[in-house]
């Protein structure tokens, strides 16, 4: 992804949005509490998740501490504690909890996924890639495509474009509607001056995305200009200006207009 370093805030927001809070119960071979205790534990975990999503960390901690009384080695509990400390910017404590969770259950792929995201947010891309790759070995993980997408992102952070491209292609092979991977591939193709391929990937992204993004619109503006579709160029430019007036992409677009459509 071109200019990933200056998109750190976007990356951090994207990683937080991808964190898997729901479905706390993991499939694991580790010993489980008795059935009735497991039901109570699951209830405590879900309540904690709800409070974390509402940014009520005091209430979330109360339920997590109650959950620890049932199972002090619960990896799910420790990952949720890690999420709280991460969002409170207590990074060292958050990492301790991530490591505890994986020590209690090395096959806890959701926890490994979230730990990798934490490492990426701390600009520790090589370590993050290691976590994502280990997680991707779990062929039954329902979000395996997400892991390969994140592998692609952390490969880009290390300027390993070929490896990143392979990871994004693997993402789409596993989940053809994973729109963010299409946008990354479109961006890479544009940087390589492969404009036809970039347009194909961007069209695929537009088909499956949940809503417009500043990155997608800005890339669309330049592609429409390249192919001589001036109405499409101006339409996307207007959308970029109106929907994302304070975005870096809109600032680049305005500069581009002032330079008579010449990129710098």
């Amino acid at each position: 992804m071109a200019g990933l370093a200056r998109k750190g805030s976007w990356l951090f927001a994207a990683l937080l949005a991808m964190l898997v809070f729901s479905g706390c119960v993991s499939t694991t071979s580790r010993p489980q509490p008795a059935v009735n205790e497991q039901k109570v534990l699951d209830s405590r975990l879900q309540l904690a998740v709800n409070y974390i999503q509402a940014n009520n960390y005091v209430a979330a901690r109360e339920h997590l501490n109650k959950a620890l009384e049932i199972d002090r080695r619960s990896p799910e509990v420790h990952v949720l504690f890690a999420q709280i400390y991460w969002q409170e910017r207590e990074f060292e404590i958050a990492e301790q909890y991530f490591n505890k969770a994986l020590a209690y259950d090395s096959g806890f792929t959701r926890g490994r996924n979230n730990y990798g995201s934490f490492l990426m947010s701390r600009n520790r891309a090589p370590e993050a890639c290691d976590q994502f790759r280990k997680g991707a070995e779990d062929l039954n993980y329902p979000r395996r495509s997400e892991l390969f997408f994140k592998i692609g992102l952390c490969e880009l952070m290390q300027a390993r474009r070929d490896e990143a491209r392979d990871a994004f292609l693997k993402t789409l092979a596993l989940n053809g509607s994973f729109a963010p991977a299409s946008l990354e591939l479109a961006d890479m193709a544009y940087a390589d001056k492969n404009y036809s391929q970039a347009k194909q990937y961007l069209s695929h992204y537009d088909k499956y995305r949940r809503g417009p993004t500043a990155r997608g619109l800005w890339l669309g503006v330049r592609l429409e200009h390249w192919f001589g579709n001036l109405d499409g160029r101006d339409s996307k430019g207007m959308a970029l200006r109106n929907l994302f007036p304070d975005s870096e992409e809109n600032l680049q677009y305005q500069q581009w207009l002032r330079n008579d459509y010449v990129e710098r």
Side-chain angles (χ1 to χ4, degrees):
M1 178 169 47
L4 182 63
R6 53 189 172 79
K7 292 185 173 68
S9 59
W10 169 85
L11 175 59
F12 181 66
L15 291 173
L16 285 179
M18 282 184 168
L19 290 179
V20 188
F21 283 120
S22 60
C24 288
V25 182
S26 66
T27 56
T28 176
S29 58
R30 62 183 292 273
Q32 298 294 298
V35 174
N36 290 339
E37 287 185 334
Q38 186 65 53
K39 289 182 179 179
V40 176
L41 177 62
D42 293 345
S43 177
R44 292 290 185 186
L45 289 170
Q46 190 57 56
L47 287 168
V49 166
N50 295 341
Y51 280 118
I52 290 172
Q53 291 175 334
N55 297 321
N56 186 342
Y57 303 137
V58 172
R61 280 188 174 89
E62 291 178 1
H63 288 287
L64 291 177
N65 284 322
K66 291 290 186 181
L68 282 180
E69 294 176 4
I70 300 171
D71 184 0
R72 299 203 63 82
R73 296 173 62 87
S74 166
E76 294 91 344
V77 172
H78 284 80
V79 160
L80 289 176
F81 268 121
Q83 303 297 158
I84 292 174
Y85 285 113
W86 180 6
Q87 295 187 53
E88 292 179 338
R89 302 185 63 80
E90 297 286 352
F91 301 124
E92 291 185 8
I93 300 175
E95 186 161 11
Q96 290 172 11
Y97 273 98
F98 277 125
N99 283 320
K100 280 185 179 180
L102 294 174
Y104 291 145
D105 185 359
S106 61
F108 185 29
T109 305
R110 181 172 61 82
R112 198 172 294 282
N113 184 356
N114 289 357
Y115 182 36
S117 296
F118 168 82
L119 292 169
M120 281 188 71
S121 76
R122 304 298 296 152
N123 294 315
R124 292 160 61 181
E127 296 170 83
C129 269
D130 287 344
Q131 294 299 325
F132 295 139
R133 289 194 190 96
K134 289 177 183 176
E137 294 174 1
D138 182 354
L139 300 182
N140 295 317
Y141 184 56
R143 292 177 176 259
R144 193 162 175 251
S145 58
E146 178 186 305
L147 287 171
F148 279 101
F149 175 71
K150 291 179 178 179
I151 289 171
L153 291 181
C154 65
E155 294 288 16
L156 282 181
M157 291 177 72
Q158 300 172 84
R160 293 159 54 95
R161 297 182 79 253
D162 290 342
E163 291 82 354
R165 183 182 292 105
D166 288 344
F168 294 138
L169 289 171
K170 178 67 172 181
T171 301
L172 292 178
L174 292 171
N175 182 357
S177 63
F178 200 107
S182 297
L183 180 57
E184 298 302 333
L185 288 166
D187 202 34
M188 295 176 75
Y190 183 85
D192 292 338
K193 302 187 185 303
N194 192 339
Y195 301 118
S196 294
Q197 188 176 74
K199 191 169 178 62
Q200 290 173 6
Y201 281 127
L202 187 62
S203 295
H204 190 266
Y205 168 74
D206 286 336
K207 178 179 179 181
Y208 291 107
R209 62 178 169 79
R210 294 183 180 179
T213 62
R215 281 188 69 207
L217 288 170
W218 172 222
L219 181 56
V221 165
R222 290 171 288 164
L223 283 171
E224 296 297 349
H225 178 76
W226 177 262
F227 285 103
N229 183 0
L230 304 188
D231 288 341
R233 177 198 69 189
D234 294 342
S235 175
K236 289 180 182 295
M238 182 179 297
L240 175 59
R241 183 174 65 248
N242 292 338
L243 295 175
F244 306 99
D246 300 323
S247 66
E248 180 181 347
E249 289 81 1
N250 184 49
L251 293 176
Q252 293 175 3
Y253 171 58
Q254 299 302 324
Q255 184 65 43
W256 188 63
L257 292 177
R258 287 192 291 270
N259 292 334
D260 295 325
Y261 310 107
V262 176
E263 290 189 67
R264 296 186 185 278

